[in-house]
Amino acid sequence: MNRLPRKIKIQLLIFAVVTTVSMTTMALVYLKLPAMLFGVGRYTVTVHLAQSAGLYETANVTYNGTEVGRVAAIKATPAGAEVTLSLKSGVDIPSDLDAQVHSQSAIGEQYVALRPRDGNSRPLRDGDVITVDRTAAPPDINDLLDATNTALQAIPNDNLKTVIDESYTAVGGLGPQIARIVNGSTALAIDAKKNLGPLTTLIDQSAPLLDSQTESADAVTTWAAHLATITAQLRQQDSAVAGILDRGGPAASEVQALIDRLQPTLPLLLANLVSVADVAITYRAGIEQILVLLPQGVAEFQGIAVPQLNTKQDYKGGFLSFNANVNLPAACTTGYLPAAQRRTANFEDYPDRPAGELYCRIPQDSPNNVRGARNIPCETRPGKRAPTVKMCESDEHYVPLNDGTSWKGDPNATLSGQGIPQVPPSTPPSSTPPPRGGPGPSPPPIAAAEYDPATGAYVGPDGKVYTQTDLANNDPGPRTWQTMLLPEKPSSAPK
């Protein structure tokens, strides 16, 4: 055997060394045989998926976009798929995370993306399991292709080119606008994810609102019909509406000029109207009652004022009776000053009014003075009637002094505690000092009453009218309009 030259031996040795280094590098770096055969520098994590979604063995596993491992095995289970991940030991991955299957392109190349929820949680360990509620998988590409194929088959072949051309015409040159729409949709989706809780609550609580819309479908339909009617009227009156719009600006300018001219007095007027509005709001029920009864009252007045209309009677007009019916029924005296303390109507002076409330204090259901203050309705207490606002607003109820037949008792000591002021005596008090034994009882007031010289009639202490014939002037003299208002009564002796 021929011996090889020394040069050839050196070349073969160098070739063997290079080959060994290359094979070792390929096995360790590229094929990663120690990790694949012996699990050196690796640990495994199990992921439960609802479906494999086209995931395959040796697929990449990423963490925040960085490759950290590969899919070691995929096993079908009754609930979906069980995927074993082989991860690098040198990268700490938080255990509180989501495992999502993504696709790098439209035709496949799926990979597993690990998305941490809490970066401060403990790192993943060998044997950890990621449950199915922490995973997500894209829809099957086959279903998408089938749906696309079905949609394309629905379009006639002759019109497919037309659809493509029209689609190009619709969106051609709108790249920036479509990009803004996509970016806006992405920002909207990100904000929706940040506010997922309120959005979920809104969706959950929207059911009653949607149900109310369903139940009021007839009302909505009626509203839409009315809106269509209004729209049709506006279309028919287009010229008038255009005139309003044309003249609205100048009219508003005139109104503004008027307000400017009324600037010194208008605020004061509006401020006063606020007070009037407050009163009107309080007495709204009464105002409504007046507005309800006013048309009927006008109708009744017209029925009285225009009798015998379109007839052949010589007399035209209403009939008016001058029978004043004075003291029928008798005037209410209960709750006022006693007869001995009343002023006669012949006096022309005007003394100060006594302090306190003076009103008719007979029962509320009495036929006398039915419109007295005691029967004023309380605006803020429906169903309650009282003579004063204070009594209306309180829990106190009206209590009459008596049955209304006459004035009784001391006006400052009533049965209900609702005092009547006492008029001070007209005679000034004596300057003589009282005796040492203390002030004595005051003398009773002198009983005196004014009477009518023409008829001898006067008002007694009980509030009733009496006539004494020997006080009357037998000469009737001329009759005036005042005497016509007095009812004629037979003479009677005082009781």
Side-chain angles (χ1 to χ4, degrees):
M1 178 179 293
N2 297 328
R3 300 183 62 184
L4 295 175
R6 184 172 179 273
K7 182 179 179 180
I8 298 300
K9 293 181 179 179
I10 295 174
Q11 291 177 349
L12 291 175
L13 179 62
I14 294 173
F15 179 76
V17 172
V18 171
T19 302
T20 303
V21 172
S22 300
M23 294 297 294
T24 303
T25 302
M26 183 180 297
L28 297 177
V29 177
Y30 293 99
L31 298 180
K32 300 179 180 180
L33 293 178
M36 294 177 59
L37 299 177
F38 309 105
V40 177
R42 296 274 179 164
Y43 65 95
T44 59
V45 174
T46 303
V47 179
H48 293 286
L49 295 174
Q51 58 180 354
S52 63
L55 194 65
Y56 55 90
E57 294 184 4
T58 71
N60 289 333
V61 178
T62 64
Y63 168 62
N64 287 339
T66 303
E67 190 267 327
V68 294
R70 294 183 180 277
V71 175
I74 300 176
K75 182 175 65 175
T77 62
E82 182 181 293
V83 180
T84 302
L85 305 182
S86 177
L87 304 179
K88 296 179 181 179
S89 301
V91 180
D92 291 336
I93 302 174
S95 58
D96 188 3
L97 50 74
D98 293 333
Q100 302 175 357
V101 179
H102 292 279
S103 179
Q104 292 182 353
S105 63
I107 60 175
E109 298 184 17
Q110 279 77 6
Y111 67 96
V112 178
L114 302 179
R115 301 291 179 84
R117 290 187 177 184
D118 185 4
N120 297 325
S121 59
R122 68 169 181 81
L124 281 175
R125 300 171 183 171
D126 186 50
D128 284 350
V129 177
I130 301 177
T131 58
V132 69
D133 60 328
R134 292 296 187 95
T135 62
D140 191 357
I141 189 64
N142 296 324
D143 296 339
L144 177 60
L145 295 176
D146 291 342
T148 304
N149 187 33
T150 303
L152 292 176
Q153 290 177 356
I155 302 175
N157 295 332
D158 298 338
N159 296 334
L160 184 58
K161 183 178 183 302
T162 303
V163 172
I164 295 175
D165 294 340
E166 294 297 331
S167 300
Y168 172 77
T169 304
V171 300
L174 299 178
Q177 291 78 2
I178 296 176
R180 286 198 297 268
I181 293 175
V182 173
N183 294 334
S185 302
T186 303
L188 181 62
I190 293 173
D191 293 340
K193 184 177 180 181
K194 293 180 180 178
N195 299 277
L196 185 60
L199 286 177
T200 305
T201 303
L202 176 62
I203 295 173
D204 294 339
Q205 296 181 356
S206 62
L209 177 61
L210 298 178
D211 293 341
S212 65
Q213 297 299 315
T214 303
E215 295 173 358
S216 59
D218 297 338
V220 174
T221 303
T222 304
W223 174 81
H226 293 169
L227 182 61
T229 303
I230 294 174
T231 305
Q233 292 293 332
L234 292 176
R235 183 172 61 252
Q236 295 175 1
Q237 304 295 331
D238 181 70
S239 59
V241 175
I244 293 175
L245 296 178
D246 294 338
R247 299 182 180 89
S253 300
E254 293 294 335
V255 173
Q256 181 64 37
L258 176 62
I259 294 176
D260 293 339
R261 290 195 299 270
L262 297 177
Q263 185 66 31
T265 57
L266 184 60
L268 181 60
L269 174 62
L270 295 179
N272 294 336
L273 289 179
V274 171
S275 302
V276 175
D278 294 338
V279 176
I281 291 174
T282 303
Y283 291 92
R284 177 181 56 82
I287 296 176
E288 291 180 356
Q289 183 70 7
I290 292 176
L291 295 178
V292 170
L293 297 179
L294 182 60
Q296 182 64 27
V298 173
E300 294 179 357
F301 178 77
Q302 291 177 344
I304 296 173
V306 290
Q308 303 177 0
L309 184 65
N310 299 325
T311 63
K312 297 181 179 181
Q313 301 294 333
D314 295 334
Y315 176 77
K316 297 293 190 298
F319 296 95
L320 178 62
S321 174
F322 286 91
N323 184 7
N325 291 331
V326 179
N327 281 339
L328 293 176
C332 175
T333 59
T334 302
Y336 297 96
L337 299 176
Q341 299 182 15
R342 299 174 193 164
R343 296 173 60 258
T344 176
N346 294 336
F347 294 165
E348 297 180 356
D349 59 343
Y350 49 95
D352 295 336
R353 182 185 182 279
E357 300 291 341
L358 296 176
Y359 53 87
C360 179
R361 297 193 179 181
I362 60 178
Q364 291 179 323
D365 57 353
S366 174
N368 294 341
N369 194 21
V370 293
R371 296 182 180 88
R374 71 189 189 282
N375 284 327
I376 296 178
C378 297
E379 293 293 335
T380 58
R381 298 288 185 91
K384 183 178 179 180
R385 296 176 181 267
T388 62
V389 177
K390 181 179 179 181
M391 188 178 297
C392 278
E393 299 297 332
S394 65
D395 295 334
E396 182 182 3
H397 293 278
Y398 171 79
V399 178
L401 292 179
N402 52 45
D403 56 2
T405 56
S406 63
W407 181 90
K408 295 180 180 180
D410 184 355
N412 289 326
T414 63
L415 297 178
S416 63
Q418 304 164 10
I420 304 175
Q422 177 73 24
V423 176
S426 59
T427 304
S430 175
S431 59
T432 305
R436 295 184 179 180
S442 60
I446 300 175
E450 297 291 335
Y451 68 94
D452 187 356
T455 60
Y458 63 93
V459 179
D462 57 356
K464 293 185 178 181
V465 179
Y466 300 92
T467 302
Q468 188 168 342
T469 56
D470 55 355
L471 297 177
N473 186 359
N474 295 327
D475 185 10
R479 296 180 62 85
T480 62
W481 65 271
Q482 291 92 341
T483 60
M484 295 176 62
L485 298 178
L486 297 175
E488 297 182 0
K489 289 188 178 181
S491 300
S492 61
K495 297 182 180 179

